[in-house]
Amino acid sequence: MTEPAVPTTAGSALSAELSAMPLALTLVESLSAAALRQRSATLLQRHLGLALAECLYIDGSGRWLGRDVGEDQFDCGDFHHPYAHVIRSGKPLLLSVADARIRLDHPGFQSQVASLGASLHLHIRPLRGGQSGREWLGVIVLAGTQARLKVLAEDPGMAAFEGLLCRLWTRLAREQGERHRSQILQDSLTKLNDGARRQALADRLAEDLLGHSNAMQALRRHIVRAAETNLAVLLQGETGTGKDRVARAMHQLSARAEGSFMAINCAAIPETLLESELFGHGKGAFSGAEHAREGLISQADGGTLFLDEIGDMPLALQAKLLRVLESGRYRPLGENEERCADLRVVAATHQPLREQIKEQRFRADLYYRLGQFPITLPPLSERRDDIAQLAQSFITDFCAREGRDEMGITPAALRLLYRREYPGNVRELKNVIDYACAMTPHDADIDTYLLPGEQGGFLTGSGLEETPPPGEDATLALPNDIVDLRQAMRDIESIIIRQRLNRFGGNRAQTAQSLGLPKRTLAHKCQLLELDIK
């Protein structure tokens, strides 16, 4: 390699060149420590005819020397490179490139000097700043002829240049540290504001996704987070947990809220028609296709496509859906040209997709592509604290839908709802409430005898079954797992009194006479048993 020409300027001329005003201004105009280091190296290499000039900086930990060009880092305690010797001793070091290649085997250092001629020398100088000059900044490495480097080592212009470099470096580093601290503070405030905004959105969701339980609060927070992204969402959970409502709420909170929300139940449409429903078809694509038709993917362009019961999608169609998710491209049935769609996919299933993958009934690649943001919906058994709020909401909806007067629900009936098991989750609870509302007389509240039982009868608080109609005496089926005899006796007494009250149209005098009780005693029992029939 041809060595750089050595200028013939004397030391005093060199001093004047390095301390020239334009060069100083170039350094002063640097906006960051990294820019300062790069400008300094460029000026030295260009004006002094050096083969290499570079500033290395010590990172915040004090352990590593970093480079602004390249990704190499040098451990300050690793003496396989010369920078460690300079850092440890605090003194400049002059060595030949040939000697460095023989004695030092650090791969990063060797790659740094690989392009230098063997006859050149390296001059490595420590750089310190601060008022006392004890604040380590880094090192500067210069490569050139031995004669030139010796002149630079003794030149006052070089010393002045280094002094200016270190002062500017120290100032910029401190300013950068202050900006960094300011940015951390700003980021913290932004996070607080984001947290407040997200909480406000989650609270707004509570108007549609009811429930004050911890499980529902966590679910609403997940929905807000998912709505902020364009990631595909996979909703998993038992049947009846409200996956369709969650999907729609996510769409309404997202940046795609102005677009269409298109939904399809993959289990409700025959396999032969499902592809056409999704991708659309051209005229004459199959028998009966007299007109071209846009599919749901096209209609959801710019919006959200909700695929319910994705676990029932045929394998062949899964592969085509995967292509849409990965490339945004699809082809309607019977057409030759591809189309593009920008949509967000939300899929839902109550089936164990991992088990289906093992049985080769669901594609693993589609599962992972759909599950970029997985959300599991809690069953009603994990949010029993929400039953009262849900029940009252369903009662209100029924009355508005059916034009009925407002009605309530008795504490006894509510206790029964708390104890009940719900394989169908919230959907089952709604069906129970709708049935009870339909069976409740006008100007009355839902009571225990109006709630449908698991076997088609009526459940009481202790699990006793009472066969309708309520106007006739019922045959009581006593369970074998009674653990509280007193409570069971109270429940039996409640059933009998309620049936007699119904038989006599709520007339307590006739009911008391038929049971051989004083009217005052019957009134007291009705109060104790929370029987609200007048």
Side-chain angles (χ1 to χ4, degrees):
M1 176 178 294
T2 304
E3 297 181 3
V6 179
T8 58
T9 52
S12 59
L14 187 62
S15 299
E17 186 175 13
L18 283 173
S19 59
M21 183 65 69
L23 300 186
L25 288 176
T26 300
L27 297 185
V28 171
E29 291 173 352
S30 301
L31 299 179
S32 67
L36 174 68
R37 292 190 293 266
Q38 293 177 5
R39 287 185 177 184
S40 300
T42 300
L43 290 174
L44 289 173
Q45 189 170 351
R46 180 184 302 164
H47 290 272
L48 301 182
L50 299 174
L52 172 69
E54 185 175 354
C55 294
L56 285 75
Y57 62 92
I58 295 180
D59 72 351
S61 69
R63 179 182 174 185
W64 297 94
L65 272 169
R67 300 178 63 195
D68 293 311
V69 291
E71 299 181 355
D72 294 321
Q73 281 190 321
F74 301 92
D75 188 341
C76 294
D78 182 1
F79 289 90
H80 289 86
H81 61 80
Y83 308 129
H85 295 271
V86 174
I87 294 295
R88 293 296 180 180
S89 66
K91 299 178 180 179
L93 175 66
L94 181 69
L95 74 162
S96 69
V97 172
D99 193 28
R101 288 176 176 166
I102 295 173
R103 296 171 53 189
L104 303 171
D105 58 358
H106 188 281
F109 173 73
Q110 292 297 337
S111 65
Q112 189 181 12
V113 300
S115 61
L116 300 178
S119 61
L120 297 179
H121 281 66
L122 297 172
H123 190 206
I124 304 170
R125 300 171 64 88
L127 297 176
R128 290 187 175 126
Q131 295 181 351
S132 61
R134 296 181 180 180
E135 182 179 336
W136 271 102
L137 299 174
V139 300
I140 186 169
V141 53
L142 308 174
T145 64
Q146 185 175 15
R148 167 48 57 92
L149 295 177
K150 286 185 176 180
V151 170
L152 287 178
E154 300 172 358
D155 190 271
M158 184 65 191
F161 185 89
E162 280 189 13
L164 177 62
L165 170 62
C166 290
R167 286 193 295 274
L168 292 175
W169 189 340
T170 301
R171 178 175 62 82
L172 289 172
R174 288 176 178 171
E175 290 178 355
Q176 185 174 356
E178 292 175 359
R179 287 195 298 268
H180 180 64
R181 288 189 293 273
S182 176
Q183 186 61 46
I184 291 177
L185 177 60
Q186 184 63 39
D187 291 344
S188 298
L189 293 174
T190 300
K191 288 180 180 178
L192 286 174
N193 292 335
D194 284 346
R197 178 182 58 81
R198 291 187 179 115
Q199 187 59 50
L201 291 175
D203 293 341
R204 196 175 84 189
L205 275 179
E207 299 174 5
D208 185 52
L209 301 177
L210 302 178
H212 302 298
S213 61
N214 292 334
M216 281 305 294
Q217 293 183 39
L219 174 62
R220 290 193 290 265
R221 288 194 295 268
H222 276 90
I223 293 172
V224 171
R225 287 283 190 172
E228 294 176 341
T229 75
N230 276 315
L231 298 177
V233 177
L234 180 60
L235 303 176
Q236 301 178 92
E238 297 178 6
T239 183
T241 49
K243 293 184 282 291
D244 53 341
R245 297 177 72 91
V246 169
R248 190 173 295 275
M250 196 178 305
H251 168 74
Q252 292 171 347
L253 288 183
S254 73
R256 299 175 177 271
E258 298 299 324
S260 301
F261 178 84
M262 308 305 298
I264 186 171
N265 189 320
C266 299
I269 299 177
E271 179 178 345
T272 54
L273 298 179
L274 184 56
E275 182 174 1
S276 175
E277 288 289 326
L278 284 174
F279 295 90
H281 61 259
K283 182 179 179 180
F286 50 84
S287 178
E290 298 179 356
H291 303 283
R293 180 181 178 185
E294 295 291 329
L296 294 180
I297 291 176
S298 175
Q299 297 176 54
D301 188 16
T304 302
L305 176 63
F306 176 48
L307 301 174
D308 200 6
E309 299 301 347
I310 188 69
D312 291 300
M313 178 175 285
L315 278 171
L317 200 53
Q318 292 177 26
K320 296 183 178 181
L321 175 62
L322 179 63
R323 186 168 184 270
V324 176
L325 291 172
E326 292 180 339
S327 67
R329 305 185 68 84
Y330 69 99
R331 181 180 299 165
L333 289 174
E335 294 192 5
N336 296 323
E337 295 184 359
E338 287 190 332
R339 301 184 184 181
C340 294
D342 174 24
L343 51 82
R344 200 256 190 92
V345 172
V346 178
T349 181
H350 72 279
Q351 300 185 20
L353 292 185
R354 289 184 179 273
E355 296 298 325
Q356 287 190 299
I357 292 173
K358 294 179 182 179
E359 298 170 1
Q360 298 184 345
R361 292 191 293 118
F362 199 85
R363 294 178 63 102
D365 48 6
L366 178 59
Y367 171 76
Y368 292 113
R369 185 61 179 78
L370 288 172
Q372 292 178 325
F373 201 119
I375 296 179
T376 300
L377 277 65
L380 191 54
S381 60
E382 295 181 5
R383 42 178 301 216
R384 291 188 178 274
D385 292 345
D386 299 332
I387 287 178
Q389 184 184 10
L390 290 168
Q392 189 56 60
S393 175
F394 296 149
I395 293 171
T396 302
D397 290 345
F398 178 89
C399 292
R401 188 172 65 249
E402 301 294 333
R404 291 280 301 271
D405 294 335
E406 292 184 6
M407 68 178 74
I409 183 169
T410 66
L414 197 55
R415 284 200 303 271
L416 176 56
L417 291 179
Y418 276 116
R419 298 172 186 172
R420 182 186 178 115
E421 296 299 324
Y422 297 93
N425 293 288
V426 178
R427 183 184 294 121
E428 180 179 347
L429 174 62
K430 183 180 185 303
N431 292 339
V432 168
I433 295 298
D434 283 348
Y435 176 87
C437 287
M439 297 298 294
T440 300
H442 288 278
D443 300 325
D445 293 334
I446 296 174
D447 213 333
T448 54
Y449 72 94
L450 298 168
L451 298 175
E454 296 177 354
Q455 305 299 327
F458 295 87
L459 293 181
T460 68
S462 63
L464 302 177
E465 290 191 8
E466 166 185 8
T467 305
E472 301 180 4
D473 288 342
T475 301
L476 297 178
L478 300 179
N480 296 322
D481 57 349
I482 292 177
V483 295
D484 188 338
L485 182 58
R486 291 184 179 181
Q487 180 62 45
M489 295 300 295
R490 284 195 294 270
D491 290 334
I492 294 173
E493 189 175 36
S494 173
I495 292 172
I496 294 172
I497 293 174
R498 190 186 318 280
Q499 291 174 349
R500 293 297 174 90
L501 284 169
N502 287 331
R503 176 186 295 182
F504 295 109
N507 189 311
R508 292 193 177 184
Q510 294 180 353
T511 300
Q513 183 179 4
S514 71
L515 293 173
L517 294 173
K519 183 179 178 180
R520 184 174 297 178
T521 301
L522 176 63
H524 181 63
K525 286 183 177 293
C526 287
Q527 183 180 4
L528 291 177
L529 297 173
E530 297 178 338
L531 301 178
D532 299 317
I533 297 179
K534 305 299 182 186

